Amino acid sequence: MARSFYSHIKEAWRDPDDGKLAELQWQRKQEWRQQGAIERIERPTRLDKARELGYKAKQGVVVVRVSVRKGNARKRRFKAGRRSKRQGVNRISRRKSIQRIAEERAARKHPNLRVLASYWVGEDGSQKWHEVILVDPEHPAIRNDDDLNWIVDDSHRGRAFRGLTNAGRANRGLRTRGKGSEHVRPSVSAGKQRGK
């Protein structure tokens, strides 16, 4: 049986640092570093992944590439009133994943659009790039699309900020069920922060 075009893309992205994709990624990253933190792009870099997450090449659907710097929280040192053990400067990580931060930044940049989903496209020593799929809930093409018109509902306003996207749900610990995940539902704050 003949393999689909998407299966070839998926196979190449399993190890982007190997084969033909490695050189292409090396060139891309040089261009991405020169661009801004949030760049609107014409088409997805990973078409297979974008289609899996609901992307369609139609009006009302926008894709942006967002760069977020890697690393820990980089807190400032306290001036006084702490013993050194409690200074807590290094090795303090954020509670939000970099992918979730990327989705939120894209949502702030485009307040009239709603975040559908996002996916990783690359990283170097200092930053990670994610592509975020955004949807215009007021566009007639979206309102008439049976696959995408669920996002028009008011319950999906501010999806990225409420952890309703794919990265948000994973970050909230909703990928697991049953034993060990008692304190993540209905929310971590409802479980007195025990789910973190």
Side-chain angles (χ1 to χ4, degrees), residues 74-91:
R74 291 177 175 82
K75 283 185 67 176
R76 292 183 65 180
R77 261 181 95 80
F78 291 104
K79 291 274 197 304
R82 303 287 188 289
R83 54 186 166 139
S84 42
K85 181 181 180 179
R86 300 291 176 219
Q87 280 278 347
V89 176
N90 299 319
R91 300 186 187 179

Side-chain angles (χ1 to χ4, degrees), residues 6-193:
Y6 294 106
S7 69
H8 288 285
I9 301 174
K10 189 185 277 290
E11 191 177 324
W13 274 96
R14 281 199 187 111
D15 189 1
D17 297 327
D18 186 44
K20 292 178 182 176
L21 190 60
E23 191 176 339
L24 186 60
Q25 280 289 89
W26 184 75
Q27 292 169 351
R28 280 172 178 161
K29 286 175 194 175
Q30 292 190 44
E31 293 171 18
W32 294 351
R33 286 185 196 104
Q34 304 303 317
Q35 295 173 353
I38 302 171
E39 283 287 321
R40 183 171 172 171
I41 55 178
E42 283 186 31
R43 59 183 68 88
T45 308
R46 294 176 66 180
L47 187 58
D48 64 314
K49 192 69 178 171
R51 293 281 285 127
E52 276 179 24
L53 295 170
Y55 168 81
K56 289 186 179 183
K58 67 189 300 179
Q59 290 183 324
V61 180
V62 175
V63 182
V64 295
R65 188 187 311 108
V66 185
S67 72
V68 180
R69 67 132 179 91
K70 290 160 72 171
N72 57 22
R74 291 177 175 82
K75 283 185 67 176
R76 292 183 65 180
R77 261 181 95 80
F78 291 104
K79 291 274 197 304
R82 303 287 188 289
R83 54 186 166 139
S84 42
K85 181 181 180 179
R86 300 291 176 219
Q87 280 278 347
V89 176
N90 299 319
R91 300 186 187 179
I92 293 177
S93 59
R94 297 291 187 203
R95 281 183 169 181
K96 287 180 187 173
S97 67
I98 287 177
Q99 185 175 355
R100 192 171 170 187
I101 291 167
E103 287 181 351
E104 289 183 8
R105 288 183 184 177
R108 282 197 184 92
K109 177 84 171 178
H110 302 278
N112 61 319
L113 306 178
R114 291 182 187 171
V115 175
L116 179 63
S118 65
Y119 52 92
W120 176 92
V121 284
E123 63 183 276
D124 62 9
S126 61
Q127 57 196 327
K128 282 188 180 183
W129 287 277
H130 289 87
E131 283 180 5
V132 183
I133 305 165
L134 301 156
V135 177
D136 183 358
E138 300 300 324
H139 201 288
I142 301 300
R143 286 182 171 270
N144 296 326
D145 191 316
D146 290 338
D147 295 325
L148 291 173
N149 62 7
W150 56 268
I151 208 165
V152 172
D153 194 82
D154 279 346
S155 63
H156 291 286
R157 289 175 67 183
R159 276 168 56 79
F161 307 108
R162 297 188 292 132
L164 302 183
T165 59
N166 57 346
R169 287 178 61 80
N171 200 207
R172 288 164 59 201
L174 299 178
R175 289 282 179 263
T176 54
R177 297 172 70 179
K179 190 173 181 183
S181 59
E182 294 88 348
H183 299 299
V184 297
R185 287 182 180 83
S187 68
V188 170
S189 56
K192 296 184 180 176
Q193 305 293 325

